[in-house]
Structure formats: structure tokens, C-alpha cells
Amino acid sequence: MTRDEALKQLSHIGHERAFGRHVGSDRLIQAGLDALIGEVESPSLAMLAGLLRSEEPEAPALFDQVLEELGLSFYPPADPRAAKWAMAYWIAGQIADGTLDPATGTHLIWADVAYDLGYPEELQSLVSCALNLDGWEESWGVSVEELNREAVEAAKQFLSKRPPAEAGS
């Protein structure tokens, strides 16, 4: 794993946790090991990577400390609606750049964001893609690859309409 890949993985896991997704201690420790292999330097990184199974409860706090030391900490907006929109943009960005499977990403937007926001119009194309990918059958006459391409395009369209004030989040 390269240094850039390790930093990206740490940042990704940090975002997941910030948006309230559960990330197991084993995954936090593995990310620490990956970062060490990738030659990332942080005062607390070796402590995180070296945690034993009996020390796993310490992993979340050490992981947060590593993020802080590396300048990778992320804090979603305090307003719950704004946090859901930030999550939608983050997930859409991963769909658009190919780091998240379109079916998984659109499902997350449908289940974890759109519902809580009352299914706003801005998310409708992504929710439609999620429903199509979730219910796809061979008899439809369209390939799952085509539905995935549509989901990537929907994510890019959604991102292109992002208000400039939120683009830096």
C-alpha cells in the first residue's frame, strides 16, 4: 500500500465514522497497519497498529488521535439535515470517482440519506438508480453494467449541482 492509498483509507474511515457508520476496531487497527506499511508517520500510529485483541476498545480513540495528528479529522455539519446532505455529496463523490460500487452507493443514499430528508427532488435520480439496481432482473433488457453507468452519471450530475458553499466539505 502506498502512502497516498493509506492516507485515503484513513480519511475514508474517518468520514464513515463521522457520519455515524459503525467501523470495527479490527478495521481501525488494520488501517493503522496499512498506514505503517505505507510509510505514513504519526506519533500515535504505531500504538494503534500494535493494539492487541484485548486492547481493541482503545482503537477508536487512538484512531481519532492519528487523524488529528495527520490533519485528516472530519466533522460533519452540526445541523442534522446539513450533515445528511454532506453525506450524500460524500457518497456521490465516491460513486463518481469509482471508489464505491454504484449499487452500494446509491443504496446508501436511498436508505441512509434520502429517507431522512423526505426524498428531496435533488436525490430522486440516485434513488431511482438504487431501486433499479436493487430490483434488476435479466428480463428487463438492460444490463446491470448499463444501470451502473447510469448511477455514475446520476452521481456526477448531482455533484455538478452542488452549491459552491458546500463544495469544499
Side-chain angles (χ1 to χ4, degrees):
M1 176 167 285
T2 68
R3 183 176 192 283
D4 287 346
E5 290 169 338
L7 290 171
K8 188 172 186 173
Q9 177 181 350
L10 290 169
S11 177
H12 176 83
I13 293 171
H15 275 73
E16 279 186 88
R17 294 183 73 237
F19 284 125
R21 308 221 22 106
H22 173 74
V23 179
S25 292
D26 58 333
R27 193 165 158 222
L28 300 177
I29 294 166
Q30 184 61 52
L33 286 167
D34 291 344
L36 279 180
I37 291 167
E39 300 182 4
V40 173
E41 294 181 19
S42 157
S44 303
L45 188 57
M47 289 188 295
L48 172 64
L51 288 178
L52 303 173
R53 182 168 297 283
S54 62
E55 300 170 316
E56 282 185 358
E58 297 172 38
L62 272 173
F63 184 84
D64 290 342
Q65 192 171 332
V66 168
L67 291 183
E68 189 71 34
E69 292 166 359
L70 295 171
L72 296 176
S73 296
F74 170 76
Y75 303 98
D79 174 65
R81 287 188 63 79
K84 287 294 180 179
W85 280 108
M87 185 176 183
Y89 287 117
W90 177 64
I91 294 169
Q94 292 176 84
I95 296 168
D97 73 12
T99 57
L100 182 61
D101 172 67
T104 302
T106 57
H107 181 82
L108 286 171
I109 288 174
W110 170 33
D112 293 352
V113 178
Y115 174 82
D116 291 337
L117 293 175
Y119 295 102
E121 180 63 34
E122 297 90 338
L123 296 176
Q124 189 54 50
S125 63
L126 289 162
V127 170
S128 294
C129 289
L131 293 169
N132 287 338
L133 285 162
D134 189 53
W136 180 81
E137 294 180 17
E138 207 168 318
S139 64
W140 287 6
V142 62
S143 69
V144 96
E145 292 79 16
E146 180 57 31
L147 293 177
N148 280 328
R149 283 190 291 275
E150 288 175 12
V152 169
E153 187 54 39
K156 289 178 180 177
Q157 285 294 317
F158 173 67
L159 291 169
S160 74
K161 296 175 183 166
R162 185 176 194 177
E166 298 175 9
S169 302

